[in-house]
Amino acid sequence: MLSSLRQDHLNITKLLQLLKYKLVAIRGEQPISYFLIRDVVDYLREVSDKYHHPKEDLIYDYYLKYRVVEGEVASRLHEEHARLLEAGTELKEMVEMILLDAVIPLDQFTARLEQFIALQEAHMNYEEGTIFPQLRDSLTEDDWRHLEQLWQNRAITDPLFGAEVSQHFQALSRQLSLPLSS
């Protein structure tokens, strides 16, 4: 399970790199596809918020229930997941307004996009540097088997990085297979 979470993080990192490139292009007053930004946010909301984070929460709740954990670590992961959901919702709404030709000050949009990227990266760094090592060191093979069984019925096929790319993410998949460009 931990290896699948790490793979999710690698996939999310690819998407964040694309968003960073788009951010640089926007600041350089180059034309970009806001549809691609929307697709990245859609993917993160669809997969991260509905699959990846609940999987982490399941593992972490189990860990908290059966292991001694002190301090802020006990609640920080859930708080960060809630912040990421909120930031994704706000960014999605802003992108949708831009796609509907609403006038959004560019500095507000770039600030929101930059904040979103920073939150995502800080969260993954925290998990990779603090949470995952604790889980790896503390949970036994029996714990992992039990967690796999609990998760079994919730598994989904990744609509972007899975064996088949969903229609919704076709353009984003093509973009990710190219060198970064607007």
Side-chain angles (χ1 to χ4, degrees):
M1 283 183 91
L2 210 49
S3 63
S4 73
L5 292 175
R6 281 207 166 98
Q7 184 59 53
D8 290 347
H9 283 182
L10 292 173
N11 294 339
I12 292 167
T13 298
K14 291 176 189 174
L15 296 171
L16 294 177
Q17 286 302 116
L18 178 61
L19 289 180
K20 285 179 183 179
Y21 184 82
K22 297 299 180 189
L23 185 60
V24 169
I26 292 167
R27 288 189 172 134
E29 299 180 5
Q30 298 171 5
I32 65 146
S33 170
Y34 285 92
F35 290 103
L36 284 173
I37 293 175
R38 182 200 56 201
D39 289 350
V40 170
V41 175
D42 282 350
Y43 174 84
L44 291 172
R45 289 167 48 95
E46 182 175 319
V47 175
S48 289
D49 296 339
K50 294 179 183 173
Y51 173 74
H52 177 80
H53 291 159
K55 187 176 192 178
E56 290 174 338
D57 290 341
L58 173 79
I59 296 167
Y60 199 58
D61 288 346
Y62 179 90
Y63 170 71
L64 292 175
K65 184 175 181 180
Y66 296 107
R67 303 297 185 272
V68 176
V69 180
E70 297 179 16
E72 73 161 19
V73 174
S75 61
R76 181 172 168 181
L77 195 64
H78 291 294
E79 291 169 4
E80 286 189 8
H81 287 170
R83 265 184 286 177
L84 289 169
L85 179 61
E86 182 181 333
T89 299
E90 291 170 356
L91 182 60
K92 164 95 173 171
E93 289 170 358
M94 195 173 268
V95 171
E96 290 293 345
M97 291 175 63
I98 290 170
L99 291 172
L100 292 171
D101 292 327
V103 177
I104 303 290
L106 202 54
D107 62 331
Q108 285 182 15
F109 179 73
T110 57
R112 180 74 40 92
L113 181 56
E114 189 171 44
Q115 175 194 32
F116 179 77
I117 294 167
L119 281 171
Q120 291 280 347
E121 289 181 331
H123 175 68
M124 286 192 305
N125 289 338
Y126 172 66
E127 288 178 335
E128 293 282 344
T130 302
I131 300 298
F132 290 179
Q134 288 178 4
L135 295 174
R136 186 182 56 249
D137 294 343
S138 298
L139 297 178
T140 67
E141 286 185 36
D142 286 340
D143 291 328
W144 288 112
R145 275 193 292 278
H146 178 71
L147 287 164
E148 285 282 354
Q149 288 175 342
L150 290 174
W151 186 253
Q152 209 168 25
N153 295 334
R154 299 188 211 177
I156 65 164
T157 301
D158 191 307
L160 176 60
F161 296 101
E164 287 188 39
V165 177
S166 78
Q167 184 65 34
H168 180 88
F169 296 114
Q170 291 289 323
L172 180 56
S173 177
R174 283 189 300 276
Q175 180 69 34
L176 288 170
S177 67
L178 299 172
L180 288 177
S181 65
S182 57

